Amino acid sequence: GAGVSQSPSNKVTEKGKDVELRCDPISGHTALYWYRQSLGQGLEFLIYFQGNSAPDKSGLPSDRFSAERTGGSVSTLTIQRTQQEDSAVYLCATTSGGGDEQYFGPGTRLTVT
Amino acid sequence: QKEVEQNSGPLSVPEGAIASLNCTYSDRGSQSFFWYRQYSGKSPELIMFIYSNGDKEDGRFTAQLNKASQYVSLLIRDSQPSDSATYLCAVNRRDSGYALNFGKGTSLLVTP
């Protein structure tokens, strides 16, 4: 596709349930980043992929969070046993690697009730 | 110390005026600097990036970088009501494949 896409656009889940958030990068973009934007907290880095490997997972807030990337393309962010504090907009961004300008997808708004 | 700091605003300017948005950062070794615009309920949109000291102009936007002072700014000339948004300053994290540290953003309101 022409841009970064994310699905679902909105997700409402009950506390304790697991959720999966998906990111489809711009074709050919090798680097992929996940961020989280909470109300009043700004954008927070979660994890970075180069190809299928994740050299930096330092931003993941707890071991309930994990992510993978397959085929150097689609990435999935999984949150297990969701908590109310996980409610946020989860954003995916990609870059071609030739430059470090990042382009964001539309985000997934997660609400944990 | 927060790594990227911005005045939260709101910054209010009249239509046609110059809006000046400022950002400071703590990592002296940072090399890449970005300005994103974010409308309410939307994702950030890249509007400018700058790597070298000095000014970089693109249409009505000018980014200014002073590495010695660890200071980045964005000037918007001939401000329009459609420029009303939150402007996010971002700086690359050298230890993380160019992941970005973001400021919390400055809210800009351009009044007709």
Side-chain angles (χ1 to χ4, degrees):
Chain A
V4 181
S5 60
Q6 292 186 246
S7 60
S9 56
N10 280 284
K11 177 71 176 179
V12 180
T13 191
E14 293 180 352
K15 177 182 173 181
K17 295 286 182 69
D18 298 351
V19 295
E20 284 190 353
L21 312 179
R22 176 186 169 107
C23 172
D24 280 275
I26 295 172
S27 178
H29 278 201
T30 56
L32 185 149
Y33 307 82
W34 283 97
Y35 296 88
R36 177 169 74 173
Q37 189 170 32
S38 307
L39 197 61
Q41 294 301 312
L43 269 150
E44 172 190 14
F45 165 72
L46 298 178
I47 187 170
Y48 149 63
F49 286 93
Q50 180 61 47
N52 291 336
S53 64
D56 187 354
K57 306 179 183 179
S58 63
L60 294 177
S62 76
D63 59 7
R64 295 185 297 104
F65 288 72
S66 63
E68 66 174 12
R69 190 178 185 197
T70 55
S73 181
V74 172
S75 178
T76 302
L77 177 68
T78 301
I79 309 174
Q80 296 179 309
R81 304 180 303 281
T82 51
Q83 303 295 310
Q84 287 186 331
E85 61 263 28
D86 300 334
S87 295
V89 177
Y90 290 81
L91 291 155
C92 171
T94 69
T95 180
S96 65
D100 49 358
E101 304 92 62
Q102 295 183 24
Y103 297 92
F104 282 84
T108 294
R109 180 175 298 276
L110 175 67
T111 304
V112 182
T113 61
Chain B
Q1 179 186 6
K2 294 182 180 168
E3 297 185 31
V4 181
E5 294 208 51
Q6 297 180 253
N7 189 323
S8 63
L11 174 65
S12 183
V13 300
E15 183 175 358
I18 296 175
S20 178
L21 304 160
N22 304 314
C23 171
T24 58
Y25 60 95
S26 61
D27 184 353
R28 187 170 289 278
S30 295
Q31 297 175 351
S32 306
F33 307 87
F34 305 86
W35 284 99
Y36 285 83
R37 178 175 63 198
Q38 187 172 29
Y39 293 111
S40 181
K42 301 295 186 182
S43 63
E45 173 192 9
L46 179 65
I47 54 172
M48 289 288 290
F49 57 90
I50 187 167
Y51 303 140
S52 304
N53 273 332
D55 295 0
K56 179 181 179 183
E57 185 174 320
D58 184 0
R60 295 187 297 112
F61 298 97
T62 298
Q64 299 175 317
L65 173 61
N66 183 326
K67 290 186 177 180
S69 301
Q70 296 175 241
Y71 179 90
V72 193
S73 65
L74 179 70
L75 301 178
I76 307 174
R77 289 181 299 281
D78 188 23
S79 296
Q80 301 297 307
S82 59
D83 295 327
S84 299
T86 296
Y87 289 79
L88 304 171
C89 173
V91 177
N92 76 293
R93 295 161 55 115
R94 289 181 296 146
D95 58 349
S96 184
Y98 297 99
L100 298 177
N101 282 330
F102 283 85
K104 290 190 177 181
T106 297
S107 176
L108 174 65
L109 177 64
V110 181
T111 56

